[in-house]
Amino acid sequence: AFFIENNGVIMFDNFPMGSAPKLAHSLVFDGFNATICGLSLTEDGNFQAKLGDSPDSCKQKRIPNIHGFFHITDLDFYRSEPVRKGLEKMFAKCFLCRFPDDQIAVTAPPAILAPERSWQMRDKGFHLDVFHNYKLDGKDPAKPKRFRKYWEDVGKYTLPAADGICPILAAD
């Protein structure tokens, strides 16, 4: 309800995680007529972007990315004409390539077009404790750190409806 009521475009579990290489600036600029010279969070968890007005504005800086393991997105925003056309230009020479990748595709449009509607979950009061790469929400070390043990000791009690329903197939 919070996301919809506040007209969010993306709410993510972890930022920053990784960054797009410096050569991403020209691709982002081609797609959105701006590039991202700086991207951080305000005190209340909104994106705060410093934009460049040419592909060379900040070519010595990498672009920080939203961690791709968990986010909620407004698909109407990502399907909108400015975003769709921008991403088509960014990815024009690539299909299923590693660069540019999905993380810059998820990060660049809201950073440029709607930073005030792009939020980190915890800063908005949502602590989901999503287990990924031995961490909760990409931030805190999981205890215990192995998923099967974490599920047995913690997870099945915090999400009892999934216990016995969702088989754990992957090895730790």
Side-chain angles (χ1 to χ4, degrees):
F2 173 86
F3 187 76
I4 294 167
E5 289 168 2
N6 290 284
N7 200 25
V9 296
I10 189 162
M11 192 158 66
F12 41 87
D13 215 13
N14 191 26
F15 172 85
M17 177 49 85
S19 57
K22 297 170 189 173
L23 22 113
H25 289 290
S26 62
L27 297 173
V28 171
F29 188 84
D30 288 347
F32 296 96
N33 204 32
T35 191
I36 303 165
C37 295
L39 188 59
S40 58
L41 297 172
T42 63
E43 280 187 29
D44 59 349
N46 298 357
F47 264 167
Q48 183 171 359
K50 179 181 178 206
L51 302 180
D53 58 5
S54 82
D56 297 325
S57 297
C58 45
K59 63 182 179 182
Q60 296 306 313
K61 296 181 179 182
R62 296 173 66 98
I63 301 172
N65 286 326
I66 292 171
H67 200 169
F69 74 96
F70 187 77
H71 47 79
I72 298 168
T73 53
D74 175 0
L75 293 179
D76 289 337
F77 172 79
Y78 282 90
R79 291 176 183 145
S80 70
E81 190 170 343
V83 174
R84 189 176 40 79
K85 285 186 175 186
L87 291 175
E88 284 172 359
K89 286 181 182 176
M90 273 182 66
F91 287 87
K93 298 175 185 145
C94 169
F95 179 71
L96 298 178
C97 55
R98 201 54 199 130
F99 174 77
D101 67 6
D102 60 321
Q103 288 180 282
I104 190 66
V106 166
T107 304
I112 294 169
L113 302 173
E116 72 287 350
R117 295 167 40 213
S118 308
W119 313 309
Q120 181 156 261
M121 289 182 185
R122 283 188 172 192
D123 292 330
K124 299 300 182 187
F126 298 93
H127 294 257
L128 301 181
D129 288 342
V130 175
F131 188 105
H132 179 70
N133 290 345
Y134 309 108
K135 292 187 177 180
L136 301 178
D137 298 333
K139 300 177 182 320
D140 303 321
K143 294 179 185 170
K145 69 179 187 174
R146 296 285 194 201
F147 182 74
R148 287 179 188 266
K149 182 74 171 140
Y150 180 85
W151 179 257
E152 285 301 315
D153 292 358
V154 179
K156 72 180 184 181
Y157 301 105
T158 58
L159 191 59
D163 191 31
I165 304 296
C166 302
I168 301 170
L169 302 175
D172 277 334

